[in-house]
Amino acid sequence: MAKSPILPRIQALDAYVPGLSIEEIRSKYGLDEVIKLASNENPLGAPPLAQEAVKRQASSIFRYPRGGNPRLRQALAEWHGVSPDRIATGNGSDEVIDLLIRMTAHGGDHNIVCFRPCFSIYPIQAAINGVEARRVPLENDFSFNFKSLLEQTDTDTRLVFVTTPDNPSGYCPQLDDVRQLAESLASKAPLAYLVIDEAYMDFARDEKKSSMLACHELPENVVFLRTFSKSFGLAGLRVGYAVMPECLADAFWRSRLPFSVNILAEDAALAALADKAFRQETLQTVAIGRDYLNCELLSLGCKVWPSEANFLMFQIPGNSLSARECCEKLLQQGIIVRSLASYDLSENIRVSVGNKHENKQFIAAMRRILAK
Ligand SMILES: *Cc1c(COP(=O)(O)O)cnc(C)c1O
């Protein structure tokens, strides 16, 4: 290979493959209606109050945002009943994850630990930063073996990532087990933070039974990640945040690019927090839709994993059709779901809970495909 100044670890990265867009599928198959149930976006669209906020702020976009998102931090502090000094906001949780790795781990010396499969951003950002990612396989039923996770940690471990409810399975571990993991980690790897990614926690059947953050328990070695991309309906604006110990938040604000949460995103996020009616309807739509999809997929003979999130992972019955072929047939009928080949789960499919119409269309298409 020709000489290049680009670092070998960057050269070695695989390009991120985004999901198919509605436009692509519409023109490829000549369809009028395309339904996207692939990215766990909000089934009701964008919150009305956030849409108004964006329009109202349109004339201000020539200005820089205020550094450090003080209004959003204050609003989130009130939302969670914590001090604003514990809040870190970023350009999606993705930015917060990247910064956590860069703030704490040094390539060649330190490691992070996560499950396999898991949300791909954790190992990808570790690789970009030259940090070793130790992977621990999930159990066959997609539950977590925290004992194996702990065994992979040592005094050089800086971050341990746990997603709850998990993506792509929807599995949600017991709160007591998570609590115990945080305690054991504190004694085994005193410099490690347990990063609990709660991107889907507000869809859990009982948030208070599943989240330490919801119970106002904030151990000094735990970081909680949350996002505006799912239940708040702002995936395209890119706002995520974390509740973390103050010393870490202080380092975060000194490391973050000053304006990564832009002026429209900050106002929309504030409005989304205020839009209680939209949020209520979102949670209800997801709870009802999740039960509906679960029942219908089971009645079609699919294996469906129990999910506390706004998506379901399933396997189709028999072996006349592969998951890949099923996804392709759904596309031909204008329905985009997530094949899980990139998670090394090529026999599984993930479908996001949509609105009532979308869910019905998806089930009707599945019925046609599986009847053949
Ligand atoms: C969707 C998702 C997020 C949110 O990412 P953003 O960058 O905030 O859009 C975080 N973690 C997991 C596991 C997710 O699935």
Side-chain angles (χ1 to χ4, degrees), residues 99-152:
L99 271 177
L100 283 170
I101 296 171
R102 287 200 281 152
M103 287 192 300
T104 62
H106 193 255
D109 295 329
H110 304 137
N111 64 78
I112 69 153
V113 180
C114 55
F115 285 111
R116 183 194 299 276
C118 71
F119 186 49
S120 62
I121 298 292
Y122 319 142
I124 289 174
Q125 294 315 121
I128 288 173
N129 291 298
V131 172
E132 179 196 0
R134 298 182 178 170
R135 309 294 298 273
V136 177
L138 293 178
E139 301 287 52
N140 288 333
D141 63 357
F142 290 87
S143 64
F144 299 159
N145 187 333
F146 284 152
K147 193 165 161 279
S148 305
L149 196 69
L150 265 176
E151 275 164 14
Q152 286 300 313

Side-chain angles (χ1 to χ4, degrees), residues 39-40 90-97 118-122 163-168 197-200 225-230 234-236 238-241 311 343 350:
S39 302
N40 307 334
N91 191 266
S93 345
D94 293 353
E95 186 189 25
V96 183
I97 293 164
C118 71
F119 186 49
S120 62
I121 298 292
Y122 319 142
T163 315
T164 173
D166 199 15
N167 181 5
D197 186 342
E198 300 192 339
Y200 301 100
L225 294 177
R226 296 258 176 149
T227 181
F228 281 89
S229 297
K230 312 285 159 55
L234 300 180
R238 315 302 304 125
V239 194
Y241 65 96
F311 52 81
Y343 285 78
R350 191 189 70 194

Side-chain angles (χ1 to χ4, degrees), residues 245-261:
E246 282 178 28
C247 58
L248 190 60
D250 180 59
F252 179 91
W253 288 107
R254 284 180 284 126
S255 324
R256 204 199 74 169
L257 287 171
F259 307 119
S260 67
V261 176

Side-chain angles (χ1 to χ4, degrees), residues 15-48:
Y16 178 74
V17 185
L20 299 161
S21 76
I22 290 182
E23 296 313 319
E24 275 173 88
I25 299 306
R26 190 179 286 150
S27 64
K28 183 169 172 193
Y29 296 103
L31 298 159
D32 293 329
E33 188 190 18
V34 174
I35 290 172
K36 186 180 174 206
L37 299 174
S39 302
N40 307 334
E41 292 151 348
N42 193 298
L44 302 178

